[in-house]
Amino acid sequence: MNCPHAAAQEAAQAAAQDGGTVVVIDPMVQDLDGETARLRDAGPLARIELLGVPAWTLTRHADARQLLVDPRLVKDLDAWSLWQSGEVTHAWPLIGMIDAGRSMFTVDGAEHRRLRTKTSQALTPRRLEAIRPDIEKFTSELLDALAEGGRDGAVVDLKSVFAQPLPMRVVGMLMGVDPAENAMLTRQYKAFFSMLTPQDERLALLADLDVFYAGLVREKTARPTDDLTSALILADEGGEPLTEEEVVGNLKAMVAAGHETTIGLILNAVRALLSHPEQLRMVLDGEVSWETVIEETLRWDTPTTHLLMRFATEDIQVGDGVIAKGEGVVISYRVIGRDTEQHGPDADAFDITRATPIRHMTFGHGPHICPGAALSRVEAGIALPALFARFPGLRLAVPDADIRKLPVMTQNDMEAFPVLLGA
């Protein structure tokens, strides 16, 4: 595994000496529950280390809600002192999640609004209702494939056959991507996020994705159709159209976020329900809505664990701690979802009957709130009831403890989810 520049490792060591306990984020994701507990115990502002690079993370709902709208925290990479000094370079395996090209995900203020507007317009409730029949059709086709794979009591992987291809089909359709490219894009993004991918290969595949999306943009420029790519090309909000680089950056990030998050949401919800059969029965009997299941899953087992990264443009006080100017800040959504101050002393429990409203921030808050949040909810809201209606006897084919996480520091994803479909 690639390591950052030695100076960054020295900075991490210095942070440990100056700031007390440092929680090392495990790139192999072997104990996510334990890591979540350690971060929560470290306090509202926890010092962390990401592959040798120091940063801060927020662990409390209230603090995160406040700072996600604080203009002193920005996405601009040039505000990061470790980047400015050369202590972090493109040799750091996580840099591609921060230095991802110019897009609505990497700028702030008026420029962010300009880059985001057309995407938000393309994902309105009306638009999502218009594509609902397509999502239902894709769901039905994939359930047929699942049934075929699980014939005669065979074990079938719910992830690769159902939960993974569904959101990729949907986001690909929205972007105007040829369905024949979906498998390639799935492989590329999986390799990009994996901590097992050598950094030179990761940088090369990022370059390949840029080439792919640039080709798509040129194709849609010449022959625009009714899709998000064409809409971004034709956008002229603020009197200035988006550049090819900006359209490519938006597409690259939207496809990543638009399928990875939904994979995690679907699988985590199924896993939670199968491990809590009494709650599954309540849902199937109509006592609790699927919407409640989705929101509790988003709170309890977030698809995104750690969102990289924002940078302080001046010193910021958080409780008894201070984020110094130039330091990086990670938003740890899984820890925030388990915040006992927000969700009560039973925050670690999956409970679709909890008395307090399920108010989480899994899709973010403020100007950079995930533009695809509603889409992910619609997909899960179609996929989950259809899955259990078709296979009410669905069950894990292995002990729950044998389900392994992918080595991805930012996404809460599984290697596979082997199931038996039941009678």
Side-chain angles (χ1 to χ4, degrees), residues 1-9 50-53 77 80 82-83 86-99 192 194-204 206 409:
M1 183 180 302
N2 301 82
C3 292
H5 193 279
Q9 291 179 309
L50 299 161
L51 299 179
V53 171
L77 179 61
W80 193 15
L82 293 178
W83 179 256
E87 295 168 67
V88 171
T89 69
H90 281 105
W92 189 47
L94 298 175
I95 195 63
M97 299 182 193
I98 304 170
D99 187 22
F192 167 72
S194 175
M195 290 295 99
L196 298 179
T197 302
Q199 182 65 354
D200 56 344
E201 292 182 20
R202 181 179 289 106
L203 295 175
L206 278 175
M409 296 183 74

Side-chain angles (χ1 to χ4, degrees), residues 43 47 53 142 144 211 323 344 351 361:
R47 189 53 118 169
V53 171
L142 292 170
D144 288 344
V211 171
I323 304 167
D351 183 5
M361 293 190 303

